[in-house]
Amino acid sequence: MKKGLVMEGGAMRGMFTCGVIDVLLENDINLDGAIGVSAGATFGCNYVSKQAGRALRYNKKFSRDPRYGSFKSLIKTGDYFGSFCYKELPSVYDVFDWDTFYGNSTEFWVVATDIESGDPVYHKCEASDDRGDADLQWFRASASMPLFSNIVEIDGDKYLDGGISDAVPLEFFEGIGYEKNIVVLTQPIGYMKKPTKAMPVIAKKYADYPELVDAMKHRHENYNLNYEYIRERAGAGAALIIAPDIPLSIGRIEKDPEELERVYNIGRKKGTEMLDAIRKFLED
């Protein structure tokens, strides 16, 4: 029976996920595969590279560095989170361990949204001669928030944030054989997403991509159905949900290192509290 880890995005709410996965790593909770969306991909990859503490460390260190993310960068380049995040940071300033990542038997998948169709695309990360450059592009695509990011082109196809089309890809993971899954959410279990107020701006900016606009228009409906499905699977014993008890109340582009650590520690606390439940779930 294949057992997996499914990680929601949510920008800096993802610091909660960082806390959870560090507890998993520190307690040798090993799974057959993991899948991340947006921040769940860019932060969750550290579970497979076995680099506990890395995501908290570099976020605290660089959160106020304009190279990491800034409105100046957004205006100048079209990306709030620029190339520094996907080039210099993982190769120079806080090196990502590609050897461990690719050598780990745990599969890692990321989700991005094809803006031509509005559909999710699921990418399995696999070793190649480029030393992770191609997979970094997939991480970037998965986390490229509409209005805050340029469209990411990979092999001629165009992508944006995976959360647009499949925010919590439990159903996909089950469909490829993962029968029991730990699902890390960054909203409380009873959360209900509302329609975005930015639709007029989105519709104008992405007028050439009507399927993407339609996906954004109905995103809240699909998201809420997704959460309902996750609750049903948890009730059936096929999923174990790890989620904050109350809203994390952190900005999507939060820069205060203390706030980042606060949310990380909430994740650590929740992960630690659930360790016995996690072990029992995986043993059954």
Side-chain angles (χ1 to χ4, degrees), residues 14-34:
M15 297 311 299
F16 174 87
T17 305
C18 295
V20 173
I21 64 174
D22 282 0
V23 170
L24 298 182
L25 285 169
E26 291 161 7
N27 288 276
D28 296 320
I29 305 295
N30 299 308
L31 298 157
D32 301 301

Side-chain angles (χ1 to χ4, degrees), residues 205-218:
K205 181 174 177 64
Y206 301 108
D208 292 338
Y209 305 100
E211 297 300 329
L212 174 70
V213 173
D214 188 65
M216 287 293 295
K217 181 179 179 180
H218 296 285

Side-chain angles (χ1 to χ4, degrees), residues 54 84-96 136:
R54 177 175 178 268
F84 176 83
C85 300
Y86 300 97
K87 291 183 180 179
E88 292 92 337
L89 196 157
S91 63
V92 177
Y93 294 101
D94 203 319
V95 176
F96 186 72
L136 277 173

Side-chain angles (χ1 to χ4, degrees), residues 223-244:
Y223 184 97
N224 293 337
L225 287 172
N226 206 342
Y227 260 47
E228 182 179 342
Y229 178 79
I230 293 162
R231 290 192 292 267
E232 289 174 357
R233 297 304 290 157
L240 178 69
I241 299 171
I242 303 177

